[in-house]
Amino acid sequence: MDEENDLVIRGGKIVTPSGIIQSDMAIKNTIISATGHNLGDAKVDVSAHGKFIMPGGVDSHAHIEQMSGMGQMNADTFETATRSAAMGGTTSIISFAAQTAGQTLSDTVANYAARARRGAMIDFAFHLTITDMTVLNFEDDLAALIATGHRSLKFFTTYNIQLSDQKILKVLTLARKYGALVGVHAENDAIISNAKEQLLSAGHKAPRYHAQSRPRVAAIEAVERICRFAQYLDQPVMLFHLSTSEGASAVKAAQARGAPVLAETCPHYLFMTEEVLDQPGLEGAKFMCSPPQRTTTDQNALWQALKEGTLALVSSVHAPYRYDETGKLSAGPDAVFNEIANGLPGLETRLPLMFDAMVSRCEQGAQAFAQITATAPAKLYGLQKKGALVAGMDADIVIWDPDRKVTYGANDLSDNVGYNPWEGRTVKGWPENVVLRGKFLVKDGQFLGSVGAGNWIDRPELATKPSGGSRQEFRT
Ligand code: DUC
Ligand code: ZN
């Protein structure tokens, strides 16, 4: 017999890209070495009868230790954010290395990488957020960073850090030349400015006006424009956090034309409507994010788009701010909606919310759940050893108890945010054991991770190449 396994998980329902199998899984030297029966002895043996064995979650959109466009620091450090992610079943994240004005991209990445290496407890990669293309050696710097494994970029079309259309075309051109996927926060800035001005001059100040200040047409226009730009230059883009039915339709139409367009949505667009903003006092600030939550019609359209593969994945867009003077209330207890930081925590709740809807309530099933929360983001962003329970991949594994019900409380998350936007919601299905590269990060609900144990994930190549007009490649 072979050398002893490090870990064998016995008797679970293993969810793989090619099917669900009732089997054992062996892990040796941080890697999944085999699935099957009679896999031999192990240093650690775990019974998973009646449980789902899923790939560790891959959350491809999280803001960590980052200054917002409005100049506000996130509440989470790499340590607190990744602890929270792990407790919710996520073992890899892609957060942002966000360039500030005048800063070179290599300095930006060095700065975020140093902090992530010190604090992160799960594996990580960065999207390079481009805000200033006038810095010295911009193109060479970008080319070198992409070549060393930073294979995704991001830009905004609003938030005081937007790029002009001309610069957007330049970024897409460079991304195509050097081989990176480009994520886009797509909302039309002029429409937002116009709507804000009207609301403020009419004396509308409460958080609920945030939704009207970022009208759906702002998102629709920018999504449509970016789809056209992507097609014009044949450069793959990922439309971030789609919130509207029209946005989903625009992506579907673009894909049908052969445009290299991918898109994601998030739990707060699938499960919340803009009514969450309409609360007494400033309570609605806890739910303020951009784009804002929309309507149940939009929710249904986003679910349908996920089912059809128009939307490839669900990320959290974790953007954590405390509900106090360090965060949401930094402009004081009478803050006007446009002075309140945008974003809500989501790293820890993304997977249980999606499991509850997709697996427990049979929306789409366990395989689709694994696909949109782990396999697709890993594949599309080039995390080659992540996101699937297949021999040879990193042993990033979650053992889900499908029967455990949890009702979220007011402040029961492991981040540094101090409130849970999902308070009162009950989910069925719980990530009770979480394994990162063969080691328990969470065991029976107990956090066992170590500060700085997360690894940077090299991305030597992307699956998402320019399409050459092929429609299929950009549907999952
Ligand atoms: N949306 C938010 O709500 N916060 C941070 C960034 C974003 O796109
Ligand atoms: Zn965004």
Side-chain angles (χ1 to χ4, degrees):
M1 195 184 17
D2 267 5
E3 221 180 286
E4 194 183 41
N5 298 298
D6 294 324
L7 170 66
V8 173
I9 302 170
R10 300 193 197 268
K13 283 180 269 185
I14 303 174
V15 181
T16 79
S18 53
I20 301 177
I21 47 172
Q22 182 93 37
S23 185
D24 301 343
M25 173 175 282
I27 287 102
K28 207 184 283 182
N29 301 327
T30 77
I31 302 291
I32 298 169
S33 53
T35 52
H37 298 283
N38 306 316
L39 298 176
D41 293 337
K43 291 180 194 133
V44 180
D45 232 287
V46 175
S47 164
H49 291 273
K51 309 282 164 75
F52 276 110
I53 314 297
M54 296 274 197
V58 176
D59 196 336
S60 52
H61 193 151
H63 300 271
I64 302 173
E65 291 195 32
Q66 189 189 332
M67 200 73 94
S68 76
M70 291 160 70
Q72 194 113 46
M73 192 46 148
N74 288 161
D76 274 316
T77 60
F78 279 94
E79 182 180 335
T80 61
T82 56
R83 179 180 66 204
S84 178
M87 289 296 280
T90 286
T91 49
S92 301
I93 40 161
I94 313 181
S95 61
F96 295 92
Q99 183 194 24
T100 54
Q103 191 180 31
T104 65
L105 289 177
S106 45
D107 281 351
T108 307
V109 172
N111 179 302
Y112 277 89
R115 286 182 281 143
R117 270 197 304 272
R118 269 199 303 276
M121 303 200 245
I122 65 174
D123 292 351
F124 58 90
F126 300 110
H127 304 297
L128 313 184
T129 304
I130 294 173
T131 60
D132 183 354
M133 298 166 69
T134 65
V135 291
L136 208 61
N137 295 329
F138 175 79
E139 180 172 345
D140 290 346
D141 213 9
L142 179 66
L145 287 165
I146 294 172
T148 52
H150 298 284
R151 296 253 165 214
S152 47
L153 318 179
K154 177 194 188 175
F155 65 82
F156 287 82
T157 61
T158 185
Y159 259 141
N160 305 326
I161 44 175
Q162 64 268 27
L163 301 184
S164 66
D165 282 357
Q166 199 178 12
K167 286 186 170 148
I168 290 171
L169 293 173
K170 179 76 180 166
V171 168
L172 296 177
T173 302
L174 294 176
R176 190 175 202 279
K177 183 169 171 190
Y178 298 113
L181 178 61
V182 182
V184 189
H185 178 119
E187 289 181 288
N188 180 298
D189 190 66
I191 294 175
I192 292 169
S193 298
N194 182 274
K196 251 189 213 171
E197 210 177 282
Q198 287 184 28
L199 288 162
L200 294 174
S201 60
H204 296 318
K205 296 179 175 172
R208 71 191 157 96
Y209 293 106
H210 172 69
Q212 294 171 39
S213 80
R214 305 185 88 97
R216 55 194 303 119
V217 65
I220 297 162
E221 187 284 331
V223 167
E224 285 174 345
R225 179 165 32 115
I226 297 302
C227 287
R228 293 290 175 185
F229 285 8
Q231 184 167 17
Y232 166 54
L233 295 174
D234 190 23
Q235 164 54 35
V237 296
M238 172 70 77
L239 270 313
F240 281 154
H241 44 53
L242 281 206
S243 62
T244 67
S245 67
E246 295 94 329
S249 300
V251 168
K252 184 173 177 172
Q255 290 168 342
R257 296 193 302 269
V261 173
L262 298 156
E264 61 162 26
T265 191
C266 320
H268 44 278
Y269 302 118
L270 293 168
F271 303 116
M272 288 176 178
T273 64
E274 70 176 88
E275 278 158 31
V276 291
L277 300 171
D278 193 4
Q279 312 238 8
L282 289 190
E283 281 287 313
K286 290 179 177 172
F287 305 93
M288 275 177 61
C289 60
S290 293
Q293 297 86 349
R294 309 286 184 185
T295 66
T296 50
T297 305
D298 294 298
Q299 290 180 346
N300 293 337
L302 295 172
W303 276 113
Q304 183 59 27
L306 274 172
K307 232 176 241 168
E308 290 172 355
T310 304
L311 303 184
L313 62 99
V314 170
S315 74
S316 69
V317 189
H318 183 79
Y321 300 97
R322 296 181 67 81
Y323 186 65
D324 63 22
E325 66 291 345
T326 67
K328 295 279 186 183
L329 307 182
S330 63
D334 300 316
V336 178
F337 70 82
N338 67 328
E339 300 169 326
I340 295 170
N342 287 188
L344 58 166
L347 277 169
E348 193 168 342
T349 48
R350 178 184 71 119
L351 292 178
L353 289 165
M354 295 306 294
F355 187 102
D356 175 56
M358 296 188 73
V359 186
S360 303
R361 290 191 272 131
C362 295
E363 186 69 48
Q364 290 179 53
Q367 260 192 296
F369 166 82
Q371 165 73 14
I372 65 160
T373 60
T375 313
K379 181 170 169 225
L380 296 172
Y381 286 109
L383 280 55
Q384 293 175 343
K385 297 192 77 183
K386 306 292 188 186
L389 298 182
V390 174
M393 300 291 266
D394 279 354
D396 297 351
I397 299 162
V398 181
I399 305 178
W400 285 82
D401 179 349
D403 299 318
R404 178 150 174 222
K405 283 187 180 170
V406 171
T407 301
Y408 283 122
N411 182 14
D412 54 356
L413 301 177
S414 300
D415 56 22
N416 186 37
V417 179
Y419 73 94
N420 184 341
W422 303 97
E423 179 186 357
R425 191 181 182 93
T426 299
V427 291
K428 185 173 175 212
W430 198 249
E432 62 180 18
N433 289 295
V434 183
V435 172
L436 173 67
R437 287 179 272 109
K439 276 201 172 148
F440 278 90
L441 256 187
V442 179
K443 185 109 198 277
D444 301 325
Q446 282 292 106
F447 183 71
L448 303 178
S450 346
V451 178
N455 283 349
W456 175 69
I457 307 165
D458 188 12
R459 295 182 284 155
E461 205 190 354
L462 282 181
T464 41
K465 301 236 180 348
S467 72
S470 129
R471 173 178 182 272
Q472 287 310 317
E473 209 175 335
F474 289 89
R475 294 175 64 81
T476 49

